[in-house]
Amino acid sequence: MRLLGLLGALSCSSAGVYAASLRVVNVTTLGVDPNTTNHLNGESFQQDALVTFNGYQYAAYYISDTSNASVRHPSLARRALTGNDTAWESFSFLDYNQTEDDGHDIISLGVSHGDGTLHLGWDQHDNDLNYRISQTGVATNPSEVGWSASLFGVTLDQLPGTESLDKSVYFINVTYPRFLSVPTAKVDNGGADLLLELRVGRSGLGDDWLYKYTPNQGWSLIGKYLEGVNNNAYINGIDFDANGNLMTTWTYRDYVNDTGQDVAVQAGPNGPENNHDLNFAFSTNLGETWQNNWNQSIANMTAQQPIVPVSAGIVIFGIPKYGGILNQEAQTVDPEGRIHVLNRENTTGTEQWYHYWRSTTHHWTRTALPLPSELQSINNITGTPTVIGKRGKIVAPPQSPHGSILLILPDNAANSTGLSILRSTAVGHFRDWEVVWEAESGNAWEPLFDRYRLDTRTGGDGVLSLFVVNGTAIQVLDFDLTDV
Ligand SMILES: *[C@@H]1O[C@H](CO)[C@@H](O)[C@H](O)[C@H]1NC(C)=O
Ligand SMILES: *[C@@H]1O[C@H](CO)[C@@H](O)[C@H](O)[C@H]1NC(C)=O
Ligand SMILES: *[C@@H]1O[C@H](CO)[C@@H](O)[C@H](O)[C@H]1NC(C)=O
Ligand SMILES: *[C@@H]1O[C@H](CO)[C@@H](O)[C@H](O)[C@H]1NC(C)=O
Ligand SMILES: *[C@@H]1O[C@H](CO)[C@@H](O)[C@H](O)[C@H]1NC(C)=O
Ligand SMILES: *[C@@H]1O[C@H](CO)[C@@H](O)[C@H](O)[C@H]1NC(C)=O
Ligand SMILES: *[C@@H]1O[C@H](CO)[C@@H](O)[C@H](O)[C@H]1NC(C)=O
Ligand SMILES: *[C@@H]1O[C@H](CO)[C@@H](O)[C@H](O)[C@H]1NC(C)=O
Ligand SMILES: *[C@@H]1O[C@H](CO)[C@@H](O)[C@H](O)[C@H]1NC(C)=O
Ligand SMILES: *[C@@H]1O[C@H](CO)[C@@H](O)[C@H](O)[C@H]1NC(C)=O
Ligand SMILES: *[C@@H]1O[C@H](CO)[C@@H](O)[C@H](O)[C@H]1NC(C)=O
Ligand SMILES: *[C@@H]1O[C@H](CO)[C@@H](O)[C@H](O)[C@H]1NC(C)=O
């Protein structure tokens, strides 16, 4: 290992202390991307399109109806990651027709490790809940079940287990369903092992709610944890650290009355120019209560006290309106518990990607990515961000000996399908950015990654799988991270 490290160091580029290299080990195709104006596959707020559990990887995406191109069906694929047959198997839910050409209407997928159920949320833009759940055992005994739509129940407009809640209050005007598995160490005996986060309300006027799923029992309400007041929170994501602390970062979008305007695309008059600030909060108890950066209590679900825009100490970086911060770009938590955010600002006259991170002693750092003149890239990648350009992802490979962070950056230049992967290290204080992989073409929209496959301590195999739309193909690109 030592020798390899030394060789790595000798062959390193001027930017990094330790040379990194990323190698594509497989490219597979899930299907043909529907021919819509707005993208239904590959939106940054899908949590998640790719999920690994128990030696299998699952993928969720839309496929067009074979007889009518104006109709799309939610579709699910799975593959074994080891063994003789690792080909994708897939099916479409022919009982559900997706017909709105609206980029909000994506699919998110979650898995309960406890009872092996798969959970889907999809086709949501300020409408009634669309949710379905599989039989138990599907993900825990994958080789025992035939892969077909009949594994799932019908589409539900209320989460099973929450019948005491008035669905005309709790499950209307839903957008952005996100699932997150609870780390094993945080699952009480027989307790909840999956979270669902969603927005109720609309852009500029909405609240974020959390629910938890208990294996073999069903869903229950945690509460409204982020309340909008003439605005709504747009989270960069929701993640656990290794100790099971739940962390989120967000920007607020102030409301502008856009009655009568087409809001199928995320653009004005209620668009990202009205976003402001980077905020942070965390919870030690699955979202029941929330604390700010200084461990002060700011919200309590039992007491129906949500985080509100004036909650103490939530603003980490004050970024003005028209300051170029985008909604729902990316966040991740590294193995040391540091939360990292990828977003962008135009507070200097140039729109640039920024990396924001919280140290183990809870200090925050904000760094603009180096300009193209300081970072060699065939895509000129760091010179391309626009106010509403394709959003990237940030990844913390759990097994990296250097504490590496990767940025998966889609080229924002007009009509470009370039994709670049940058890396920096904890040793280099996350300032030693270098390009470790790039392609001049092949990524038409926002790349996603499989957060669960990455971690060998929790059942993954350490491979980085990206979900991309490559031309008309929905693809999965697998990268070997051994040298990262
Ligand atoms: C996509 O749809 C447009 C019209 O909406 C049509 O002109 C175009 O030929 C279609 N492309 C493909 C590949 O089917
Ligand atoms: C879904 O779309 C297909 C293709 O147009 C059509 O045959 C089917 O009747 C539709 N189903 C429903 C429930 O609308
Ligand atoms: C195709 O589906 C669309 C949307 O549901 C519908 O309006 C249209 O009538 C369908 N076309 C045919 C030929 O069935
Ligand atoms: C899988 O491959 C192994 C070794 O290549 C072989 O021994 C085994 O019989 C194969 N199993 C099946 C089910 O084909
Ligand atoms: C790539 O993935 C396909 C389908 O999952 C599989 O058949 C093939 O063996 C994989 N190749 C490598 C090199 O892993
Ligand atoms: C919210 O949902 C209700 C009930 O479905 C609907 O009448 C209303 O138009 C929705 N509001 C928005 C802003 O979509
Ligand atoms: C937006 O404006 C319309 C008409 O101009 C009005 O009817 C509506 O109540 C306004 N909505 C809000 C949330 O202020
Ligand atoms: C949350 O509120 C409940 C009900 O008011 C209270 O019993 C509990 O102590 C509060 N928790 C914290 C951490 O403040
Ligand atoms: C960034 O801000 C400057 C000054 O306000 C403006 O000229 C420029 O167009 C902005 N850049 C982008 C990409 O919007
Ligand atoms: C690279 O980006 C810079 C902005 O930082 C821009 O001025 C320049 O034109 C770009 N070069 C190319 C070749 O796109
Ligand atoms: C991007 O593509 C559109 C549509 O094909 C075209 O009108 C536009 O000129 C292209 N822009 C650039 C910078 O190539
Ligand atoms: C795009 O697809 C082609 C053909 O499958 C493949 O060779 C290429 O690696 C893919 N590129 C990306 C960035 O996915």
Side-chain angles (χ1 to χ4, degrees):
M1 286 319 277
R2 221 189 151 81
L3 185 60
L4 277 175
L6 194 62
L7 287 173
L10 286 174
S11 63
C12 81
S13 73
S14 56
V17 179
Y18 303 95
S21 70
L22 227 58
R23 203 164 46 88
V24 177
V25 289
N26 210 345
V27 179
T28 49
T29 296
L30 293 165
V32 177
D33 190 47
N35 180 14
T36 47
T37 305
N38 301 294
H39 293 266
L40 293 161
N41 292 315
E43 294 277 356
S44 67
F45 42 82
Q46 277 179 270
Q47 188 170 331
D48 289 289
L50 281 179
V51 174
T52 288
F53 171 62
N54 192 27
Y56 276 69
Q57 187 175 45
Y58 300 87
Y61 51 94
Y62 284 109
I63 292 286
S64 291
D65 187 83
T66 48
S67 66
N68 185 341
S70 305
V71 170
R72 276 79 55 179
H73 301 297
S75 304
L76 264 189
R78 72 169 187 182
R79 63 173 169 177
L81 292 174
T82 56
N84 301 13
D85 187 0
T86 57
W88 289 104
E89 304 173 79
S90 64
F91 64 80
S92 293
F93 290 99
L94 298 177
D95 66 353
Y96 191 92
N97 286 355
Q98 199 284 337
T99 54
E100 298 286 324
D101 187 340
D102 181 337
H104 296 81
D105 291 345
I106 55 86
I107 312 176
S108 288
L109 167 67
V111 178
S112 164
H113 297 189
D115 69 9
T117 46
L118 303 179
H119 302 251
L120 284 186
W122 76 97
D123 202 12
Q124 302 279 194
H125 190 186
D126 301 343
N127 54 338
D128 295 353
L129 185 76
N130 285 314
Y131 164 86
R132 66 205 303 172
I133 176 173
S134 78
Q135 297 165 15
T136 57
V138 171
T140 37
N141 297 301
S143 58
E144 320 272 296
V145 296
W147 190 240
S148 82
S150 65
L151 293 172
F152 282 76
V154 297
T155 300
L156 302 174
D157 60 4
Q158 180 154 24
L159 295 173
T162 63
E163 288 74 14
S164 64
L165 301 178
D166 180 353
K167 74 177 176 188
S168 72
V169 174
Y170 287 83
F171 299 116
I172 60 165
N173 307 122
V174 174
T175 316
Y176 308 125
R178 293 178 185 252
F179 294 99
L180 181 65
S181 280
V182 179
T184 312
K186 198 73 180 174
V187 178
D188 294 337
N189 190 21
D193 70 355
L194 183 67
L195 302 183
L196 171 62
E197 207 269 5
L198 49 78
R199 186 184 77 189
V200 172
R202 48 151 298 171
S203 61
L205 291 173
D207 308 313
D208 281 56
W209 293 77
L210 273 171
Y211 293 85
K212 61 183 176 187
Y213 177 80
T214 303
N216 302 305
Q217 287 184 34
W219 291 93
S220 56
L221 176 66
I222 297 174
K224 174 168 66 175
Y225 78 108
L226 278 173
E227 182 174 279
V229 179
N230 270 314
N231 60 19
N232 78 280
Y234 276 110
I235 63 170
N236 289 309
I238 186 157
D239 291 273
F240 284 103
D241 72 8
N243 296 322
N245 297 311
L246 188 60
M247 299 186 166
T248 187
T249 57
W250 70 96
T251 188
Y252 282 112
R253 166 94 51 100
D254 285 356
Y255 178 67
V256 172
N257 194 329
D258 58 1
T259 299
Q261 308 257 355
D262 179 7
V263 292
V265 289
Q266 300 193 349
N270 209 41
E273 65 282 357
N274 300 317
N275 295 346
H276 58 90
D277 299 334
L278 181 75
N279 302 281
F280 165 75
F282 73 98
S283 170
T284 60
N285 49 17
L286 297 192
E288 206 31 65
T289 60
W290 289 83
Q291 296 171 50
N292 66 15
N293 193 55
W294 298 273
N295 299 342
Q296 290 152 340
S297 184
I298 53 170
N300 181 336
M301 298 305 97
T302 313
Q304 298 192 338
Q305 293 165 344
I307 302 170
V308 291
V310 295
S311 290
I314 56 173
V315 182
I316 301 301
F317 293 108
I319 300 164
K321 281 211 247 192
Y322 306 97
I325 187 168
L326 194 46
N327 43 282
Q328 303 151 303
E329 191 139 14
Q331 69 167 43
T332 195
V333 182
D334 75 19
E336 307 300 318
R338 292 175 289 233
I339 188 165
H340 298 261
V341 177
L342 170 70
N343 212 300
R344 56 189 78 191
E345 289 179 32
N346 185 351
T347 41
T348 60
T350 308
E351 186 92 28
Q352 277 183 276
W353 268 303
Y354 280 71
H355 172 226
Y356 313 79
W357 60 282
R358 183 181 189 241
S359 75
T360 52
T361 52
H362 308 164
H363 293 283
W364 282 83
T365 301
R366 153 164 71 176
T367 320
L369 295 195
L371 291 167
S373 56
E374 303 154 350
L375 186 95
Q376 286 298 304
S377 159
I378 55 167
N379 292 324
N380 194 26
I381 189 72
T382 55
T384 69
T386 61
V387 181
I388 200 172
K390 286 175 263 187
R391 290 160 289 199
K393 280 284 172 246
I394 186 161
V395 177
Q399 278 79 45
S400 167
H402 316 300
S404 293
I405 292 294
L406 300 176
L407 301 179
I408 320 293
L409 300 179
D411 193 340
N412 280 195
N415 302 339
S416 169
T417 62
L419 183 67
S420 297
I421 303 184
L422 273 53
R423 176 254 209 178
S424 71
T425 63
V427 178
H429 300 285
F430 305 114
R431 288 190 299 252
D432 52 342
W433 293 107
E434 58 174 337
V435 172
V436 290
W437 184 88
E438 51 187 350
E440 268 177 290
S441 65
N443 176 61
W445 200 235
E446 297 180 327
L448 307 173
F449 76 103
D450 184 341
R451 71 187 71 233
Y452 303 105
R453 188 174 183 181
L454 281 173
D455 198 343
T456 55
R457 295 163 307 181
T458 55
D461 61 4
V463 168
L464 171 65
S465 283
L466 297 189
F467 177 104
V468 300
V469 177
N470 179 356
T472 57
I474 310 163
Q475 291 188 333
V476 179
L477 267 72
D478 297 330
F479 290 88
D480 179 353
L481 294 183
T482 311
D483 297 322
V484 167

